[in-house]
Amino acid sequence: MTILAIHGGAGGDGEWRGLTSLDPERIRCMQNVLQSIGEALQSGSIDALEAVTQAVELMENEPLFNAGIGSVLDEDGSVTMDASIMNGLDGAAGSVVNVRRIRHPIRAAYCILKQGWPVMLNSEAADEFAIEQGVEPVEPTWLITKLRQKQWNLWKDKNARPGATDEDDSVLDHDMEGMGTVGAVALDVHGNVAAATSTGGMTGKPKGRIGDTPIIGAGTWADTNIAVSCTGVGEAFIRTCAAHRLAAKYETGLTLQEACQDVLDAVEPIGGRGGIIAVTSDGSVATPFQTMLMYRGVWSDGTITIGIGPNDVDLDSMDS
Ligand code: ASP
């Protein structure tokens, strides 16, 4: 059995108001990721670790997600990105913080994992290491899209708090919000799992701010039983060690759904709204969220499901 689950971020409050004009493009991206990486995973040509890396790279390429090109802008109007990855089989991990000059932060995290030591690199040193390893260099301004610039201008005009346009859909419709952190979890033909997460963080985040995404155990976790990728207000996911908490709860014998609910209940009182994707080595998968929406999709042995709001998207009607 092979499974690939992906997310493209969670956010928004209140009632689901339906797809926006940009959502079909996000759906197409998720469909392509699930189809191409799912097939490779099923054929055994790539393992879980490579599958999550490639899935996240493809989502980093999509300007409508908040990772790689199209990342949200910091307080000073620049892009800084975080990413991490973990392999369930041996607990190997890699992470980059505040990178600015590479196209694929997740590939940089993968290179760190493969090197074996250290686990985390930050800022200029992380960019330099990644470029030496062959990760594609880019100009920092290449990462900035018109949509994100417009969103940042609104954030600035409103003098809003960091992340305000990411969460508050009374400010903007969800095409204009900063949600869109991306993540992937996979189960391969050998029964091994892996997890990866990548983000531009939150709109208007202050210089040097680090969210949960690059923190092993907070935004990303994988062990021999389970792989987890989280999205949402990072500080709460850090304070609860959310991704690792899910693994620990699952190990106590809770079902995957119960363990996910425990984590969402733990982050909520401290301002952590968001979602989780998780897959277990015995083939369970869950994609719960407590926000208005979470971009999400699952490949399970050739069957693809995709959702944004509370219900799955009718992919047949999208094709026609
Ligand atoms: N967790 C990310 C952060 O706090 C943002 C998100 O997932 O929307 O940087």
mmCIF file of all heavy atoms in Angstrom, residues 4 16 22 28 56 63 80 85 122 130 158 181 184 230 248 258 264 269 275 315:
data_model
loop_
_atom_site.group_PDB
_atom_site.id
_atom_site.type_symbol
_atom_site.label_atom_id
_atom_site.label_comp_id
_atom_site.label_asym_id
_atom_site.label_seq_id
_atom_site.Cartn_x
_atom_site.Cartn_y
_atom_site.Cartn_z
ATOM 1 N N LEU A 4 0.159 9.107 -0.309
ATOM 2 C CA LEU A 4 0.774 10.437 -0.285
ATOM 3 C C LEU A 4 -0.327 11.412 0.119
ATOM 4 O O LEU A 4 -1.389 11.435 -0.514
ATOM 5 C CB LEU A 4 1.309 10.812 -1.671
ATOM 6 C CG LEU A 4 1.839 12.234 -1.811
ATOM 7 C CD1 LEU A 4 3.113 12.436 -0.996
ATOM 8 C CD2 LEU A 4 2.122 12.563 -3.289
ATOM 9 N N TRP A 16 -17.630 28.659 5.179
ATOM 10 C CA TRP A 16 -16.997 28.410 3.883
ATOM 11 C C TRP A 16 -17.823 29.089 2.798
ATOM 12 O O TRP A 16 -19.037 28.930 2.731
ATOM 13 C CB TRP A 16 -16.927 26.903 3.673
ATOM 14 C CG TRP A 16 -16.653 26.429 2.285
ATOM 15 C CD1 TRP A 16 -17.481 25.665 1.510
ATOM 16 C CD2 TRP A 16 -15.457 26.625 1.521
ATOM 17 N NE1 TRP A 16 -16.873 25.389 0.316
ATOM 18 C CE2 TRP A 16 -15.633 25.962 0.289
ATOM 19 C CE3 TRP A 16 -14.263 27.309 1.750
ATOM 20 C CZ2 TRP A 16 -14.645 25.959 -0.703
ATOM 21 C CZ3 TRP A 16 -13.290 27.304 0.760
ATOM 22 C CH2 TRP A 16 -13.485 26.634 -0.445
ATOM 23 N N LEU A 22 -9.139 31.689 -8.228
ATOM 24 C CA LEU A 22 -7.771 31.150 -8.295
ATOM 25 C C LEU A 22 -7.682 29.701 -7.808
ATOM 26 O O LEU A 22 -6.678 29.032 -8.041
ATOM 27 C CB LEU A 22 -6.813 32.019 -7.465
ATOM 28 C CG LEU A 22 -6.653 33.467 -7.939
ATOM 29 C CD1 LEU A 22 -5.691 34.220 -7.024
ATOM 30 C CD2 LEU A 22 -6.141 33.525 -9.372
ATOM 31 N N ARG A 28 -5.483 22.137 -9.555
ATOM 32 C CA ARG A 28 -4.701 21.493 -10.624
ATOM 33 C C ARG A 28 -3.296 21.138 -10.135
ATOM 34 O O ARG A 28 -2.772 20.063 -10.397
ATOM 35 C CB ARG A 28 -4.586 22.429 -11.842
ATOM 36 C CG ARG A 28 -5.590 22.091 -12.945
ATOM 37 C CD ARG A 28 -5.256 22.808 -14.250
ATOM 38 N NE ARG A 28 -5.205 24.257 -14.123
ATOM 39 C CZ ARG A 28 -6.270 25.054 -14.128
ATOM 40 N NH1 ARG A 28 -7.490 24.536 -14.255
ATOM 41 N NH2 ARG A 28 -6.144 26.362 -14.025
ATOM 42 N N VAL A 56 6.729 18.522 -2.221
ATOM 43 C CA VAL A 56 6.847 19.886 -1.699
ATOM 44 C C VAL A 56 7.541 20.795 -2.715
ATOM 45 O O VAL A 56 7.147 21.953 -2.895
ATOM 46 C CB VAL A 56 7.542 19.883 -0.320
ATOM 47 C CG1 VAL A 56 7.945 21.295 0.104
ATOM 48 C CG2 VAL A 56 6.610 19.279 0.727
ATOM 49 N N PRO A 63 3.045 29.524 -7.585
ATOM 50 C CA PRO A 63 3.069 30.849 -6.950
ATOM 51 C C PRO A 63 1.880 31.114 -6.020
ATOM 52 O O PRO A 63 1.936 32.025 -5.208
ATOM 53 C CB PRO A 63 3.023 31.811 -8.144
ATOM 54 C CG PRO A 63 3.391 31.009 -9.331
ATOM 55 C CD PRO A 63 3.033 29.589 -9.053
ATOM 56 N N THR A 80 11.426 35.654 3.420
ATOM 57 C CA THR A 80 12.329 34.703 4.087
ATOM 58 C C THR A 80 11.545 33.410 4.282
ATOM 59 O O THR A 80 10.363 33.442 4.631
ATOM 60 C CB THR A 80 12.844 35.212 5.448
ATOM 61 O OG1 THR A 80 11.731 35.533 6.281
ATOM 62 C CG2 THR A 80 13.733 36.433 5.291
ATOM 63 N N ILE A 85 12.357 18.592 7.055
ATOM 64 C CA ILE A 85 12.033 17.263 6.538
ATOM 65 C C ILE A 85 12.524 16.215 7.523
ATOM 66 O O ILE A 85 13.534 16.422 8.200
ATOM 67 C CB ILE A 85 12.696 17.086 5.145
ATOM 68 C CG1 ILE A 85 12.269 15.779 4.487
ATOM 69 C CG2 ILE A 85 14.216 17.177 5.214
ATOM 70 C CD1 ILE A 85 12.545 15.752 2.987
ATOM 71 N N ASN A 122 20.834 28.205 9.383
ATOM 72 C CA ASN A 122 19.997 29.386 9.214
ATOM 73 C C ASN A 122 20.567 30.414 8.244
ATOM 74 O O ASN A 122 21.761 30.437 7.971
ATOM 75 C CB ASN A 122 19.669 30.027 10.577
ATOM 76 C CG ASN A 122 20.788 30.870 11.132
ATOM 77 O OD1 ASN A 122 21.253 31.809 10.485
ATOM 78 N ND2 ASN A 122 21.248 30.543 12.319
ATOM 79 N N ALA A 130 23.145 25.378 0.627
ATOM 80 C CA ALA A 130 22.219 24.817 -0.356
ATOM 81 C C ALA A 130 22.754 25.015 -1.780
ATOM 82 O O ALA A 130 22.735 24.083 -2.602
ATOM 83 C CB ALA A 130 20.849 25.469 -0.206
ATOM 84 N N LYS A 158 -3.431 48.748 6.510
ATOM 85 C CA LYS A 158 -4.323 48.530 7.653
ATOM 86 C C LYS A 158 -3.570 48.535 8.970
ATOM 87 O O LYS A 158 -4.168 48.370 10.026
ATOM 88 C CB LYS A 158 -5.053 47.186 7.490
ATOM 89 C CG LYS A 158 -6.113 47.263 6.435
ATOM 90 C CD LYS A 158 -6.867 45.944 6.339
ATOM 91 C CE LYS A 158 -7.948 46.057 5.290
ATOM 92 N NZ LYS A 158 -9.042 46.957 5.677
ATOM 93 N N THR A 181 1.091 27.658 3.300
ATOM 94 C CA THR A 181 2.213 26.787 3.691
ATOM 95 C C THR A 181 1.966 25.421 3.063
ATOM 96 O O THR A 181 0.820 24.983 2.970
ATOM 97 C CB THR A 181 2.232 26.661 5.233
ATOM 98 O OG1 THR A 181 2.624 27.918 5.767
ATOM 99 C CG2 THR A 181 3.173 25.580 5.725
ATOM 100 N N ALA A 184 3.878 17.623 2.995
ATOM 101 C CA ALA A 184 3.572 16.297 2.447
ATOM 102 C C ALA A 184 3.975 15.225 3.448
ATOM 103 O O ALA A 184 4.964 15.389 4.175
ATOM 104 C CB ALA A 184 4.319 16.088 1.132
ATOM 105 N N CYS A 230 2.308 19.949 9.857
ATOM 106 C CA CYS A 230 1.294 20.863 10.408
ATOM 107 C C CYS A 230 1.287 22.189 9.659
ATOM 108 O O CYS A 230 2.286 22.596 9.073
ATOM 109 C CB CYS A 230 1.598 21.172 11.871
ATOM 110 S SG CYS A 230 1.662 19.724 12.929
ATOM 111 N N ALA A 248 3.272 10.978 19.801
ATOM 112 C CA ALA A 248 3.271 10.408 21.154
ATOM 113 C C ALA A 248 1.865 9.943 21.551
ATOM 114 O O ALA A 248 1.694 8.867 22.142
ATOM 115 C CB ALA A 248 3.795 11.438 22.143
ATOM 116 N N GLU A 258 -8.325 10.426 16.679
ATOM 117 C CA GLU A 258 -8.367 10.901 18.074
ATOM 118 C C GLU A 258 -7.091 11.663 18.432
ATOM 119 O O GLU A 258 -7.132 12.694 19.102
ATOM 120 C CB GLU A 258 -8.531 9.718 19.041
ATOM 121 C CG GLU A 258 -9.913 9.105 19.032
ATOM 122 C CD GLU A 258 -9.961 7.728 19.722
ATOM 123 O OE1 GLU A 258 -8.887 7.127 19.998
ATOM 124 O OE2 GLU A 258 -11.083 7.240 19.963
ATOM 125 N N LEU A 264 -5.199 19.350 17.893
ATOM 126 C CA LEU A 264 -5.952 20.559 17.534
ATOM 127 C C LEU A 264 -6.571 21.189 18.785
ATOM 128 O O LEU A 264 -6.593 22.420 18.927
ATOM 129 C CB LEU A 264 -7.026 20.236 16.480
ATOM 130 C CG LEU A 264 -6.475 19.834 15.102
ATOM 131 C CD1 LEU A 264 -7.602 19.451 14.150
ATOM 132 C CD2 LEU A 264 -5.625 20.945 14.475
ATOM 133 N N PRO A 269 -6.574 26.774 22.407
ATOM 134 C CA PRO A 269 -6.650 27.778 23.482
ATOM 135 C C PRO A 269 -5.478 28.761 23.484
ATOM 136 O O PRO A 269 -5.567 29.811 24.106
ATOM 137 C CB PRO A 269 -6.636 26.952 24.772
ATOM 138 C CG PRO A 269 -6.708 25.534 24.382
ATOM 139 C CD PRO A 269 -6.469 25.406 22.921
ATOM 140 N N GLY A 275 -4.247 23.146 10.769
ATOM 141 C CA GLY A 275 -4.582 21.791 10.355
ATOM 142 C C GLY A 275 -3.357 20.903 10.336
ATOM 143 O O GLY A 275 -2.223 21.364 10.532
ATOM 144 N N LEU A 315 -13.910 16.285 -8.447
ATOM 145 C CA LEU A 315 -12.873 16.420 -9.471
ATOM 146 C C LEU A 315 -13.423 16.155 -10.872
ATOM 147 O O LEU A 315 -12.933 16.715 -11.847
ATOM 148 C CB LEU A 315 -11.705 15.486 -9.166
ATOM 149 C CG LEU A 315 -10.911 15.853 -7.907
ATOM 150 C CD1 LEU A 315 -9.900 14.780 -7.558
ATOM 151 C CD2 LEU A 315 -10.228 17.206 -8.047
#
